[in-house]
Amino acid sequence: MRVARSLAHHGMKFRKAPRKTVTEASQTFSFTRRAMVLGGLQGGVGALLAARMTWISVAENEKYQLLAESNRVNLTLIPPRRGWIIDRHGRPIANNRTDFRVDIIPDRLADKDATVASLAKLLALAPEDVEKIHEQLEKAAGFQPVQVSDNLTYEQYAAVSVRLSELPGVAPSQGFSRFYPAGASVGHLIGYVGTASAEEYKERKDPLLITPGYKIGKDGLERSFDKALTGTPGAKRVEVTARGKIVRELTTRSDTPGKTLQLTIDAGLQEYAGRRLGTQSGSVVVIDCSNGDVLAMASMPSFDPNSFSDGIGSLEWEMLSQDDHVPLRNKALRGLYPPGSTVKPMVALALLEAGIPASDRVSCGGAMRVGNTLFHCHKRRGHGALDMRGAIAQSCDIYFYTMALRIGMEPIAAMARRLGMGQQFDLPFPSQSYGTVPDPAWKMKKYNEKWQAYDTVNATIGQGYMLANPLQLAVMAARLATGRMLTPNFLMGAKRTPAASLGASAEHLFTIREAMSAVVNGGGTGGAGRMTIPGVLLAGKTGTAQVRRITMAERRAGVRRDASLPFKLRDHALFQGFAPFDNPRYAVGCILEHGGHTIRNQDSAPIASDTLSYLFDPQKATEKLVELEKTWGGTPAERMAAQMAAFRVQKGLETALTPDQMNAANATVAAVANASTPSANESNAAEEQD
């Protein structure tokens, strides 16, 4: 500013810039240039749009055709029919039946509570069923179907179908459901099927897993052979409106059923064995002595696989979980028990191979001191002088204590393994327990302790560390009966190598078999198991596995025998054997958890004997069983129904039992009461059992 003022003061002036002249030509040029830029931009955008439209209509034509088709056409998978499981004679053990069902797809629900309430009214659902549906809806992934009900009548199915517009998320369907004709008798053998979990879907990413009505094997053989039993799904294309209403069915591709699985099991024998166990908690296994085929493997009490496959309710699950007879455990494969005196024929065979003559006698006075411990015989008054045959027949502990200490534990343990004890069999089941055959090396490795004489004494009568399951007991009987190392097999037509020889002399095996016959038919401890089939003799060996000694305080209070103890403290009752004695065809193993030899007609020897008698005369065996069942509350299904009804009353869900349920419940209670108050004859029989 100062410079400007100074210049002005001296008379100097600035010249103004000349104004630019705007002509019509310059305006036209400017407009044309801007129009060209804008036109170029518009052309570029248009070219991009044209290119994108060309890409969509040509390169991605198939993709968008499919998307358009999916808006108009709904593709639904049809669950494949599961392959049947049949027995050795072709009779179904697990098959499929046509049914109507209703499921809920959580993702599609608009009002969960209102929808469930409407379905409960339409289908007359019980309160616990409604509660189960709510629980499953809370746990299920959004895409995972939740079963509302199956085995519906057509009227119920139709009532839901005509109201689908009012029930978003509800999916009625017609298909096939798994059915087990024998019910609980095959629960642990076959297993069950169920809806795939969210974890299983995430792992496999198979859309079939979230298709309503589709189920996979969850346990037992259903799980082991799930891939073979699962067929190929079908598909159905239907035209729908924007709201999902079906306009018409376009095409349907039928499903392909899964493969049929044939077992070595005899379905009639399997059901009979399950029923013959009565109110006991235990297992029966029957093996074909010609090839090792398993003809029956029953574990009772059990669960009804039909309930599990339909989606077991929380109330039934609670009842099964609280049952002290443990119906949810497969006792045949996963139950481990001290084998008790059933191992005495095995020990005797080891004695013979070690060079001890069968004629050598031992005097039993009722007790024997080993170190600073007094070991008793089961017969407190003693047996007197006995040879090997008499010791097996009378189950004399003192004989086996004495003889086992002569040869030591190693040859006994070796013989136990040759007869299948502690052996891991190649079986088509998800899990099994293998038991224990103890010896000095095992104890050192397990406990870092030396083997003692009292360990040999305990092991030689099947106590102490020795453990086995019912299947191993049956295998031991089969190998003693045949002299061959038979292995159990469950699949018809399975490739097997011929069983190798046991390596025992025919003379030694005859001595053992003859002694086992005396157990049942010669005044031994197993007389209650004598068979009533003309010309058929059962050979076997009874056993008692002590759960806990009766304390001196309990004895002073009047507790003398298992019948006076709570169920869980009673001894296990066992039996292993084969028939016919002179030409063995079938072998059997039976273990009763806490059976205690307290109910004569539900003891291990009679149960094993009657089960084998079914193979020789099914009609006679069944007639006997029907009469017996009248005394202990009916068939397993009838007793389970009575138990469930009583549990509902206990929970306050019902006020009283029906007359039939009351009769069944009373009969079951009476059977249990008989165990607590055995007759004098039964008490004497229990004293002689070992």
Side-chain angles (χ1 to χ4, degrees), residues 437-468:
V437 177
D439 59 17
W442 174 88
K443 187 178 181 182
M444 180 58 69
K445 181 179 179 181
K446 181 77 173 177
Y447 298 106
N448 196 29
E449 295 178 1
K450 290 184 178 180
W451 188 266
Q452 304 295 333
Y454 58 77
D455 290 321
T456 300
V457 167
N458 276 326
T460 198
I461 61 166
Q463 295 280 175
Y465 301 116
M466 190 171 285
L467 294 172

PDB file of all heavy atoms in Angstrom, residues 437-468:
ATOM      1  N   VAL A 437      -6.703-109.743  32.213  1.00  0.00           N
ATOM      2  CA  VAL A 437      -6.126-111.016  32.646  1.00  0.00           C
ATOM      3  C   VAL A 437      -4.831-110.667  33.377  1.00  0.00           C
ATOM      4  O   VAL A 437      -3.820-110.357  32.754  1.00  0.00           O
ATOM      5  CB  VAL A 437      -5.850-111.959  31.465  1.00  0.00           C
ATOM      6  CG1 VAL A 437      -5.171-113.234  31.964  1.00  0.00           C
ATOM      7  CG2 VAL A 437      -7.137-112.302  30.729  1.00  0.00           C
ATOM      8  N   PRO A 438      -4.841-110.674  34.710  1.00  0.00           N
ATOM      9  CA  PRO A 438      -3.656-110.229  35.455  1.00  0.00           C
ATOM     10  C   PRO A 438      -2.590-111.319  35.558  1.00  0.00           C
ATOM     11  O   PRO A 438      -2.884-112.514  35.517  1.00  0.00           O
ATOM     12  CB  PRO A 438      -4.233-109.922  36.840  1.00  0.00           C
ATOM     13  CG  PRO A 438      -5.377-110.873  36.977  1.00  0.00           C
ATOM     14  CD  PRO A 438      -5.960-111.038  35.593  1.00  0.00           C
ATOM     15  N   ASP A 439      -1.350-110.892  35.652  1.00  0.00           N
ATOM     16  CA  ASP A 439      -0.215-111.781  35.926  1.00  0.00           C
ATOM     17  C   ASP A 439       0.889-110.917  36.533  1.00  0.00           C
ATOM     18  O   ASP A 439       0.721-109.686  36.661  1.00  0.00           O
ATOM     19  CB  ASP A 439       0.251-112.512  34.667  1.00  0.00           C
ATOM     20  CG  ASP A 439       0.692-111.583  33.555  1.00  0.00           C
ATOM     21  OD1 ASP A 439       0.943-110.394  33.834  1.00  0.00           O
ATOM     22  OD2 ASP A 439       0.792-112.027  32.399  1.00  0.00           O
ATOM     23  N   PRO A 440       2.022-111.495  36.944  1.00  0.00           N
ATOM     24  CA  PRO A 440       3.069-110.696  37.599  1.00  0.00           C
ATOM     25  C   PRO A 440       3.553-109.511  36.767  1.00  0.00           C
ATOM     26  O   PRO A 440       3.758-108.416  37.299  1.00  0.00           O
ATOM     27  CB  PRO A 440       4.183-111.717  37.829  1.00  0.00           C
ATOM     28  CG  PRO A 440       3.453-113.012  38.003  1.00  0.00           C
ATOM     29  CD  PRO A 440       2.304-112.944  37.039  1.00  0.00           C
ATOM     30  N   ALA A 441       3.737-109.709  35.465  1.00  0.00           N
ATOM     31  CA  ALA A 441       4.218-108.613  34.616  1.00  0.00           C
ATOM     32  C   ALA A 441       3.186-107.498  34.545  1.00  0.00           C
ATOM     33  O   ALA A 441       3.522-106.304  34.563  1.00  0.00           O
ATOM     34  CB  ALA A 441       4.546-109.141  33.219  1.00  0.00           C
ATOM     35  N   TRP A 442       1.916-107.882  34.450  1.00  0.00           N
ATOM     36  CA  TRP A 442       0.839-106.870  34.381  1.00  0.00           C
ATOM     37  C   TRP A 442       0.806-106.037  35.655  1.00  0.00           C
ATOM     38  O   TRP A 442       0.688-104.811  35.596  1.00  0.00           O
ATOM     39  CB  TRP A 442      -0.497-107.585  34.167  1.00  0.00           C
ATOM     40  CG  TRP A 442      -1.677-106.663  34.213  1.00  0.00           C
ATOM     41  CD1 TRP A 442      -2.226-105.957  33.182  1.00  0.00           C
ATOM     42  CD2 TRP A 442      -2.456-106.325  35.368  1.00  0.00           C
ATOM     43  NE1 TRP A 442      -3.293-105.210  33.612  1.00  0.00           N
ATOM     44  CE2 TRP A 442      -3.460-105.411  34.957  1.00  0.00           C
ATOM     45  CE3 TRP A 442      -2.405-106.700  36.715  1.00  0.00           C
ATOM     46  CZ2 TRP A 442      -4.399-104.875  35.839  1.00  0.00           C
ATOM     47  CZ3 TRP A 442      -3.333-106.166  37.588  1.00  0.00           C
ATOM     48  CH2 TRP A 442      -4.319-105.270  37.162  1.00  0.00           C
ATOM     49  N   LYS A 443       0.887-106.682  36.814  1.00  0.00           N
ATOM     50  CA  LYS A 443       0.808-105.938  38.076  1.00  0.00           C
ATOM     51  C   LYS A 443       1.999-104.999  38.239  1.00  0.00           C
ATOM     52  O   LYS A 443       1.851-103.863  38.720  1.00  0.00           O
ATOM     53  CB  LYS A 443       0.728-106.900  39.256  1.00  0.00           C
ATOM     54  CG  LYS A 443       0.483-106.183  40.581  1.00  0.00           C
ATOM     55  CD  LYS A 443       0.350-107.133  41.751  1.00  0.00           C
ATOM     56  CE  LYS A 443       0.092-106.369  43.043  1.00  0.00           C
ATOM     57  NZ  LYS A 443       0.012-107.251  44.223  1.00  0.00           N
ATOM     58  N   MET A 444       3.175-105.457  37.845  1.00  0.00           N
ATOM     59  CA  MET A 444       4.348-104.600  37.949  1.00  0.00           C
ATOM     60  C   MET A 444       4.206-103.367  37.065  1.00  0.00           C
ATOM     61  O   MET A 444       4.545-102.244  37.464  1.00  0.00           O
ATOM     62  CB  MET A 444       5.605-105.392  37.581  1.00  0.00           C
ATOM     63  CG  MET A 444       6.906-104.571  37.662  1.00  0.00           C
ATOM     64  SD  MET A 444       7.210-103.864  39.314  1.00  0.00           S
ATOM     65  CE  MET A 444       7.560-105.361  40.258  1.00  0.00           C
ATOM     66  N   LYS A 445       3.696-103.569  35.844  1.00  0.00           N
ATOM     67  CA  LYS A 445       3.517-102.454  34.921  1.00  0.00           C
ATOM     68  C   LYS A 445       2.409-101.516  35.380  1.00  0.00           C
ATOM     69  O   LYS A 445       2.529-100.293  35.270  1.00  0.00           O
ATOM     70  CB  LYS A 445       3.197-102.993  33.520  1.00  0.00           C
ATOM     71  CG  LYS A 445       3.021-101.911  32.468  1.00  0.00           C
ATOM     72  CD  LYS A 445       2.737-102.516  31.099  1.00  0.00           C
ATOM     73  CE  LYS A 445       2.545-101.435  30.046  1.00  0.00           C
ATOM     74  NZ  LYS A 445       2.247-102.023  28.705  1.00  0.00           N
ATOM     75  N   LYS A 446       1.341-102.086  35.919  1.00  0.00           N
ATOM     76  CA  LYS A 446       0.179-101.290  36.300  1.00  0.00           C
ATOM     77  C   LYS A 446       0.383-100.569  37.626  1.00  0.00           C
ATOM     78  O   LYS A 446       0.062 -99.384  37.762  1.00  0.00           O
ATOM     79  CB  LYS A 446      -1.045-102.211  36.392  1.00  0.00           C
ATOM     80  CG  LYS A 446      -2.343-101.511  36.768  1.00  0.00           C
ATOM     81  CD  LYS A 446      -2.943-100.766  35.615  1.00  0.00           C
ATOM     82  CE  LYS A 446      -4.318-100.228  35.964  1.00  0.00           C
ATOM     83  NZ  LYS A 446      -4.902 -99.437  34.862  1.00  0.00           N
ATOM     84  N   TYR A 447       0.903-101.277  38.612  1.00  0.00           N
ATOM     85  CA  TYR A 447       0.989-100.718  39.963  1.00  0.00           C
ATOM     86  C   TYR A 447       2.417-100.629  40.505  1.00  0.00           C
ATOM     87  O   TYR A 447       2.610-100.170  41.629  1.00  0.00           O
ATOM     88  CB  TYR A 447       0.148-101.570  40.927  1.00  0.00           C
ATOM     89  CG  TYR A 447      -1.321-101.589  40.589  1.00  0.00           C
ATOM     90  CD1 TYR A 447      -1.902-102.720  40.008  1.00  0.00           C
ATOM     91  CD2 TYR A 447      -2.123-100.488  40.833  1.00  0.00           C
ATOM     92  CE1 TYR A 447      -3.252-102.749  39.699  1.00  0.00           C
ATOM     93  CE2 TYR A 447      -3.476-100.500  40.524  1.00  0.00           C
ATOM     94  CZ  TYR A 447      -4.031-101.642  39.954  1.00  0.00           C
ATOM     95  OH  TYR A 447      -5.367-101.660  39.645  1.00  0.00           O
ATOM     96  N   ASN A 448       3.375-101.114  39.707  1.00  0.00           N
ATOM     97  CA  ASN A 448       4.768-101.138  40.167  1.00  0.00           C
ATOM     98  C   ASN A 448       4.889-101.913  41.478  1.00  0.00           C
ATOM     99  O   ASN A 448       5.604-101.502  42.402  1.00  0.00           O
ATOM    100  CB  ASN A 448       5.310 -99.715  40.328  1.00  0.00           C
ATOM    101  CG  ASN A 448       6.833 -99.687  40.426  1.00  0.00           C
ATOM    102  OD1 ASN A 448       7.518-100.549  39.869  1.00  0.00           O
ATOM    103  ND2 ASN A 448       7.363 -98.703  41.137  1.00  0.00           N
ATOM    104  N   GLU A 449       4.185-103.035  41.553  1.00  0.00           N
ATOM    105  CA  GLU A 449       4.214-103.886  42.734  1.00  0.00           C
ATOM    106  C   GLU A 449       4.438-105.331  42.309  1.00  0.00           C
ATOM    107  O   GLU A 449       4.033-105.747  41.216  1.00  0.00           O
ATOM    108  CB  GLU A 449       2.904-103.788  43.517  1.00  0.00           C
ATOM    109  CG  GLU A 449       2.628-102.422  44.121  1.00  0.00           C
ATOM    110  CD  GLU A 449       1.287-102.375  44.832  1.00  0.00           C
ATOM    111  OE1 GLU A 449       0.597-103.430  44.864  1.00  0.00           O
ATOM    112  OE2 GLU A 449       0.925-101.304  45.346  1.00  0.00           O
ATOM    113  N   LYS A 450       5.060-106.115  43.190  1.00  0.00           N
ATOM    114  CA  LYS A 450       5.302-107.519  42.896  1.00  0.00           C
ATOM    115  C   LYS A 450       4.038-108.342  43.099  1.00  0.00           C
ATOM    116  O   LYS A 450       3.199-108.035  43.941  1.00  0.00           O
ATOM    117  CB  LYS A 450       6.418-108.059  43.800  1.00  0.00           C
ATOM    118  CG  LYS A 450       7.801-107.511  43.475  1.00  0.00           C
ATOM    119  CD  LYS A 450       8.859-108.166  44.345  1.00  0.00           C
ATOM    120  CE  LYS A 450      10.255-107.658  43.987  1.00  0.00           C
ATOM    121  NZ  LYS A 450      11.293-108.309  44.835  1.00  0.00           N
ATOM    122  N   TRP A 451       3.935-109.385  42.324  1.00  0.00           N
ATOM    123  CA  TRP A 451       2.811-110.321  42.436  1.00  0.00           C
ATOM    124  C   TRP A 451       2.976-111.136  43.726  1.00  0.00           C
ATOM    125  O   TRP A 451       4.068-111.590  44.063  1.00  0.00           O
ATOM    126  CB  TRP A 451       2.794-111.246  41.226  1.00  0.00           C
ATOM    127  CG  TRP A 451       1.580-112.123  41.131  1.00  0.00           C
ATOM    128  CD1 TRP A 451       1.458-113.393  41.584  1.00  0.00           C
ATOM    129  CD2 TRP A 451       0.338-111.791  40.523  1.00  0.00           C
ATOM    130  NE1 TRP A 451       0.204-113.890  41.305  1.00  0.00           N
ATOM    131  CE2 TRP A 451      -0.512-112.927  40.653  1.00  0.00           C
ATOM    132  CE3 TRP A 451      -0.164-110.662  39.893  1.00  0.00           C
ATOM    133  CZ2 TRP A 451      -1.807-112.955  40.164  1.00  0.00           C
ATOM    134  CZ3 TRP A 451      -1.459-110.681  39.409  1.00  0.00           C
ATOM    135  CH2 TRP A 451      -2.262-111.813  39.546  1.00  0.00           C
ATOM    136  N   GLN A 452       1.861-111.312  44.437  1.00  0.00           N
ATOM    137  CA  GLN A 452       1.881-112.043  45.692  1.00  0.00           C
ATOM    138  C   GLN A 452       1.038-113.313  45.587  1.00  0.00           C
ATOM    139  O   GLN A 452       0.209-113.449  44.681  1.00  0.00           O
ATOM    140  CB  GLN A 452       1.347-111.162  46.831  1.00  0.00           C
ATOM    141  CG  GLN A 452       2.085-109.847  47.010  1.00  0.00           C
ATOM    142  CD  GLN A 452       3.528-110.034  47.436  1.00  0.00           C
ATOM    143  OE1 GLN A 452       3.874-111.044  48.073  1.00  0.00           O
ATOM    144  NE2 GLN A 452       4.390-109.078  47.097  1.00  0.00           N
ATOM    145  N   ALA A 453       1.250-114.208  46.546  1.00  0.00           N
ATOM    146  CA  ALA A 453       0.498-115.469  46.546  1.00  0.00           C
ATOM    147  C   ALA A 453      -0.997-115.226  46.644  1.00  0.00           C
ATOM    148  O   ALA A 453      -1.797-115.922  46.007  1.00  0.00           O
ATOM    149  CB  ALA A 453       0.976-116.353  47.703  1.00  0.00           C
ATOM    150  N   TYR A 454      -1.394-114.211  47.415  1.00  0.00           N
ATOM    151  CA  TYR A 454      -2.833-113.945  47.538  1.00  0.00           C
ATOM    152  C   TYR A 454      -3.430-113.445  46.226  1.00  0.00           C
ATOM    153  O   TYR A 454      -4.627-113.603  45.974  1.00  0.00           O
ATOM    154  CB  TYR A 454      -3.125-112.966  48.674  1.00  0.00           C
ATOM    155  CG  TYR A 454      -2.440-111.618  48.573  1.00  0.00           C
ATOM    156  CD1 TYR A 454      -2.901-110.633  47.704  1.00  0.00           C
ATOM    157  CD2 TYR A 454      -1.333-111.326  49.359  1.00  0.00           C
ATOM    158  CE1 TYR A 454      -2.281-109.403  47.608  1.00  0.00           C
ATOM    159  CE2 TYR A 454      -0.705-110.098  49.274  1.00  0.00           C
ATOM    160  CZ  TYR A 454      -1.181-109.136  48.398  1.00  0.00           C
ATOM    161  OH  TYR A 454      -0.563-107.916  48.298  1.00  0.00           O
ATOM    162  N   ASP A 455      -2.601-112.845  45.360  1.00  0.00           N
ATOM    163  CA  ASP A 455      -3.096-112.443  44.043  1.00  0.00           C
ATOM    164  C   ASP A 455      -3.464-113.676  43.219  1.00  0.00           C
ATOM    165  O   ASP A 455      -4.483-113.685  42.517  1.00  0.00           O
ATOM    166  CB  ASP A 455      -2.036-111.631  43.299  1.00  0.00           C
ATOM    167  CG  ASP A 455      -1.814-110.257  43.919  1.00  0.00           C
ATOM    168  OD1 ASP A 455      -2.800-109.633  44.336  1.00  0.00           O
ATOM    169  OD2 ASP A 455      -0.647-109.821  43.988  1.00  0.00           O
ATOM    170  N   THR A 456      -2.623-114.712  43.300  1.00  0.00           N
ATOM    171  CA  THR A 456      -2.913-115.960  42.589  1.00  0.00           C
ATOM    172  C   THR A 456      -4.184-116.598  43.131  1.00  0.00           C
ATOM    173  O   THR A 456      -5.040-117.071  42.370  1.00  0.00           O
ATOM    174  CB  THR A 456      -1.735-116.937  42.724  1.00  0.00           C
ATOM    175  OG1 THR A 456      -0.569-116.349  42.165  1.00  0.00           O
ATOM    176  CG2 THR A 456      -2.038-118.253  42.012  1.00  0.00           C
ATOM    177  N   VAL A 457      -4.330-116.606  44.458  1.00  0.00           N
ATOM    178  CA  VAL A 457      -5.510-117.194  45.089  1.00  0.00           C
ATOM    179  C   VAL A 457      -6.778-116.481  44.623  1.00  0.00           C
ATOM    180  O   VAL A 457      -7.786-117.116  44.284  1.00  0.00           O
ATOM    181  CB  VAL A 457      -5.370-117.135  46.633  1.00  0.00           C
ATOM    182  CG1 VAL A 457      -6.699-117.441  47.304  1.00  0.00           C
ATOM    183  CG2 VAL A 457      -4.300-118.107  47.097  1.00  0.00           C
ATOM    184  N   ASN A 458      -6.752-115.152  44.585  1.00  0.00           N
ATOM    185  CA  ASN A 458      -7.926-114.398  44.139  1.00  0.00           C
ATOM    186  C   ASN A 458      -8.231-114.654  42.666  1.00  0.00           C
ATOM    187  O   ASN A 458      -9.384-114.873  42.278  1.00  0.00           O
ATOM    188  CB  ASN A 458      -7.701-112.895  44.358  1.00  0.00           C
ATOM    189  CG  ASN A 458      -8.039-112.452  45.765  1.00  0.00           C
ATOM    190  OD1 ASN A 458      -8.962-112.992  46.381  1.00  0.00           O
ATOM    191  ND2 ASN A 458      -7.303-111.481  46.284  1.00  0.00           N
ATOM    192  N   ALA A 459      -7.189-114.613  41.824  1.00  0.00           N
ATOM    193  CA  ALA A 459      -7.399-114.752  40.381  1.00  0.00           C
ATOM    194  C   ALA A 459      -7.901-116.135  40.010  1.00  0.00           C
ATOM    195  O   ALA A 459      -8.671-116.287  39.053  1.00  0.00           O
ATOM    196  CB  ALA A 459      -6.106-114.448  39.633  1.00  0.00           C
ATOM    197  N   THR A 460      -7.498-117.149  40.761  1.00  0.00           N
ATOM    198  CA  THR A 460      -7.850-118.516  40.380  1.00  0.00           C
ATOM    199  C   THR A 460      -9.330-118.824  40.585  1.00  0.00           C
ATOM    200  O   THR A 460      -9.829-119.813  40.067  1.00  0.00           O
ATOM    201  CB  THR A 460      -6.985-119.518  41.164  1.00  0.00           C
ATOM    202  OG1 THR A 460      -7.030-120.778  40.516  1.00  0.00           O
ATOM    203  CG2 THR A 460      -7.486-119.694  42.582  1.00  0.00           C
ATOM    204  N   ILE A 461     -10.038-117.962  41.344  1.00  0.00           N
ATOM    205  CA  ILE A 461     -11.497-118.110  41.465  1.00  0.00           C
ATOM    206  C   ILE A 461     -12.213-116.923  40.807  1.00  0.00           C
ATOM    207  O   ILE A 461     -13.361-116.626  41.110  1.00  0.00           O
ATOM    208  CB  ILE A 461     -11.938-118.264  42.933  1.00  0.00           C
ATOM    209  CG1 ILE A 461     -11.560-117.037  43.751  1.00  0.00           C
ATOM    210  CG2 ILE A 461     -11.360-119.534  43.543  1.00  0.00           C
ATOM    211  CD1 ILE A 461     -12.255-116.971  45.109  1.00  0.00           C
ATOM    212  N   GLY A 462     -11.502-116.227  39.898  1.00  0.00           N
ATOM    213  CA  GLY A 462     -12.135-115.164  39.117  1.00  0.00           C
ATOM    214  C   GLY A 462     -12.426-113.905  39.884  1.00  0.00           C
ATOM    215  O   GLY A 462     -13.359-113.167  39.549  1.00  0.00           O
ATOM    216  N   GLN A 463     -11.646-113.618  40.909  1.00  0.00           N
ATOM    217  CA  GLN A 463     -11.820-112.381  41.675  1.00  0.00           C
ATOM    218  C   GLN A 463     -10.563-111.533  41.539  1.00  0.00           C
ATOM    219  O   GLN A 463      -9.744-111.777  40.663  1.00  0.00           O
ATOM    220  CB  GLN A 463     -12.090-112.720  43.144  1.00  0.00           C
ATOM    221  CG  GLN A 463     -13.388-113.467  43.406  1.00  0.00           C
ATOM    222  CD  GLN A 463     -14.621-112.575  43.421  1.00  0.00           C
ATOM    223  OE1 GLN A 463     -15.753-113.032  43.533  1.00  0.00           O
ATOM    224  NE2 GLN A 463     -14.430-111.283  43.314  1.00  0.00           N
ATOM    225  N   GLY A 464     -10.411-110.556  42.389  1.00  0.00           N
ATOM    226  CA  GLY A 464      -9.233-109.702  42.332  1.00  0.00           C
ATOM    227  C   GLY A 464      -9.236-108.815  41.106  1.00  0.00           C
ATOM    228  O   GLY A 464     -10.216-108.141  40.807  1.00  0.00           O
ATOM    229  N   TYR A 465      -8.139-108.858  40.345  1.00  0.00           N
ATOM    230  CA  TYR A 465      -7.992-107.969  39.190  1.00  0.00           C
ATOM    231  C   TYR A 465      -8.663-108.497  37.926  1.00  0.00           C
ATOM    232  O   TYR A 465      -8.783-107.775  36.939  1.00  0.00           O
ATOM    233  CB  TYR A 465      -6.502-107.753  38.884  1.00  0.00           C
ATOM    234  CG  TYR A 465      -5.708-107.165  40.015  1.00  0.00           C
ATOM    235  CD1 TYR A 465      -4.682-107.895  40.623  1.00  0.00           C
ATOM    236  CD2 TYR A 465      -5.951-105.875  40.476  1.00  0.00           C
ATOM    237  CE1 TYR A 465      -3.925-107.356  41.656  1.00  0.00           C
ATOM    238  CE2 TYR A 465      -5.204-105.321  41.506  1.00  0.00           C
ATOM    239  CZ  TYR A 465      -4.195-106.071  42.100  1.00  0.00           C
ATOM    240  OH  TYR A 465      -3.457-105.532  43.114  1.00  0.00           O
ATOM    241  N   MET A 466      -9.077-109.749  37.916  1.00  0.00           N
ATOM    242  CA  MET A 466      -9.598-110.358  36.696  1.00  0.00           C
ATOM    243  C   MET A 466     -10.986-109.810  36.362  1.00  0.00           C
ATOM    244  O   MET A 466     -11.871-109.767  37.212  1.00  0.00           O
ATOM    245  CB  MET A 466      -9.651-111.883  36.838  1.00  0.00           C
ATOM    246  CG  MET A 466      -9.961-112.615  35.536  1.00  0.00           C
ATOM    247  SD  MET A 466      -9.754-114.409  35.671  1.00  0.00           S
ATOM    248  CE  MET A 466      -7.968-114.545  35.661  1.00  0.00           C
ATOM    249  N   LEU A 467     -11.161-109.409  35.100  1.00  0.00           N
ATOM    250  CA  LEU A 467     -12.437-108.850  34.642  1.00  0.00           C
ATOM    251  C   LEU A 467     -12.772-109.400  33.259  1.00  0.00           C
ATOM    252  O   LEU A 467     -11.882-109.648  32.442  1.00  0.00           O
ATOM    253  CB  LEU A 467     -12.371-107.314  34.571  1.00  0.00           C
ATOM    254  CG  LEU A 467     -12.198-106.553  35.891  1.00  0.00           C
ATOM    255  CD1 LEU A 467     -11.946-105.080  35.622  1.00  0.00           C
ATOM    256  CD2 LEU A 467     -13.420-106.727  36.783  1.00  0.00           C
ATOM    257  N   ALA A 468     -14.066-109.563  33.000  1.00  0.00           N
ATOM    258  CA  ALA A 468     -14.517-110.058  31.690  1.00  0.00           C
ATOM    259  C   ALA A 468     -15.907-109.513  31.410  1.00  0.00           C
ATOM    260  O   ALA A 468     -16.613-109.047  32.316  1.00  0.00           O
ATOM    261  CB  ALA A 468     -14.537-111.582  31.674  1.00  0.00           C
TER     262      ALA A 468
END
